[in-house]
C-alpha cells in the first residue's frame, strides 16, 4: 500500500511500450482507476511512471484532473498515435474522464492540476499532438511534441496543419494557466494554437 500511495509504474497495469501494441485502452483504464474511480480520496492521487519505450495509441489518451505523468526522458518515453483517423495523441479530461461537450457533466470536476514531464507525444497524422480543453493549471516540463512532417525544416502543405499543442473548447469556460518548461516542438506547422480565449497562458 505504501508503494501505491507514492508512485505507480505503468508496468503494474501490464502496459508495455513495445512500439507495436496499441495500449490506449489499457492506459485510459489505468488513469480511470487511479484518478477517477476514487476522485474524492486524496490517497488515490498518485504519480504514474511510464518507463522508457514507445507506447502506441490508436485512440486518444484521456488525461483526467489531478493526473501526474512522468516518463524517463523525452527521447526515451514516447506516446505515438498511429490511428487511421485525424485525432490526438492525448487530450485533457474531467474527473470522470469525460471529454468534449461532456466535460463537467454529472458534477464532474473540470480538467485541472495536470502535470506531464519527461516524455514525448508524436502524432503520425496531420493533426494535433495534445489537446488542452477547458482545463486549468496544466504544466508540461521537458516534453517534446512531434508532428507528422518528415523533417524539422520543411513541411508539405498538402498534408494540412500539424500542431504541437492546441487549446480549444466546444462550450463553456476558457482554459487557464497552461505552462511550458524546457519543452521542444518538432515537425509541425505550429507549436501552439489557440481557438478560444486563454487566461495567463
Amino acid at each position: 500500500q505504501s508503494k501505491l500511495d507514492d508512485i505507480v509504474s505503468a508496468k503494474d497495469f501490464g502496459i508495455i511500450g513495445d512500439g507495436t501494441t496499441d495500449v490506449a485502452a489499457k492506459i485510459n483504464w489505468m488513469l480511470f482507476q487511479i484518478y477517477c474511480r476514487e476522485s474524492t480520496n486524496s490517497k488515490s492521487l498518485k504519480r504514474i511512471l511510464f518507463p522508457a519505450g514507445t507506447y502506441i495509441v490508436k485512440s486518444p489518451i484521456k488525461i483526467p484532473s489531478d493526473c501526474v505523468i512522468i516518463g524517463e526522458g523525452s527521447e526515451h518515453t514516447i506516446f505515438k498515435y498511429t490511428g487511421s483517423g485525424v485525432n490526438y495523441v492525448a487530450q485533457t479530461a474531467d474527473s470522470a474522464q469525460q471529454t468534449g461537450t461532456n466535460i463537467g457533466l454529472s458534477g464532474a470536476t473540470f480538467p485541472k492540476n495536470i502535470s506531464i514531464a519527461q516524455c514525448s507525444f508524436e502524432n503520425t497524422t496531420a493533426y494535433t499532438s495534445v489537446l488542452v480543453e477547458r482545463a486549468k493549471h496544466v504544466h508540461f516540463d521537458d516534453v517534446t511534441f512531434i508532428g507528422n512532417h518528415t523533417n524539422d525544416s520543411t513541411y508539405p502543405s498538402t498534408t494540412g496543419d500539424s500542431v504541437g499543442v492546441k487549446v480549444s473548447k466546444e462550450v463553456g469556460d476558457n482554459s487557464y494557466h497552461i505552462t511550458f518548461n524546457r519543452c521542444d516542438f518538432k515537425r509541425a506547422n505550429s507549436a501552439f494554437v489557440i481557438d478560444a480565449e486563454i487566461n495567463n497562458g
Side-chain angles (χ1 to χ4, degrees):
Q1 183 62 47
S2 60
K3 178 182 184 298
L4 292 176
D5 285 343
D6 181 23
I7 190 167
V8 174
S9 171
K11 286 185 177 180
D12 296 336
F13 286 80
I15 299 169
I16 305 296
D18 62 7
T20 303
T21 307
D22 178 10
V23 292
K26 283 188 175 182
I27 292 175
N28 284 331
W29 185 83
M30 173 183 65
L31 295 175
F32 184 86
Q33 295 302 314
I34 293 175
Y35 297 107
C36 304
R37 187 176 175 187
E38 297 183 82
S39 61
T40 59
N41 179 1
S42 61
K43 285 189 176 182
S44 71
L45 304 180
K46 311 169 188 73
R47 295 171 294 162
I48 300 177
L49 171 67
F50 281 86
T54 298
Y55 297 85
I56 299 298
V57 296
K58 295 187 178 181
S59 56
I61 300 169
K62 299 176 182 179
I63 303 176
S65 297
D66 300 308
C67 180
V68 179
I69 289 175
I70 305 170
E72 292 190 323
S74 59
E75 295 184 356
H76 305 293
T77 298
I78 302 166
F79 300 98
K80 186 174 183 179
Y81 177 77
T82 62
S84 58
V86 176
N87 225 323
Y88 317 106
V89 185
Q91 64 187 115
T92 55
D94 65 19
S95 61
Q97 214 175 31
Q98 300 171 128
T99 60
T101 56
N102 293 325
I103 288 176
L105 292 182
S106 301
T109 303
F110 277 54
K112 66 176 183 177
N113 302 331
I114 294 169
S115 180
I116 300 171
Q118 301 177 40
C119 61
S120 292
F121 294 92
E122 181 177 359
N123 199 332
T124 61
T125 70
Y127 210 53
T128 302
S129 293
V130 176
L131 174 68
V132 175
E133 188 171 26
R134 302 168 70 186
K136 297 182 178 180
H137 312 302
V138 179
H139 182 63
F140 298 98
D141 185 10
D142 189 19
V143 177
T144 298
F145 305 91
I146 307 170
N148 71 317
H149 301 319
T150 55
N151 59 63
D152 294 333
S153 60
T154 62
Y155 60 85
S157 60
T158 56
T159 62
D161 288 340
S162 180
V163 176
V165 175
K166 181 179 181 181
V167 176
S168 181
K169 69 172 185 176
E170 301 254 351
V171 294
D173 297 340
N174 297 323
S175 291
Y176 177 89
H177 195 214
I178 315 301
T179 62
F180 299 86
N181 182 42
R182 302 180 302 165
C183 292
D184 195 10
F185 299 83
K186 298 181 178 181
R187 303 181 184 180
N189 299 57
S190 303
F192 186 73
V193 170
I194 305 170
D195 74 356
E197 291 185 10
I198 184 172
N199 299 316
N200 292 341

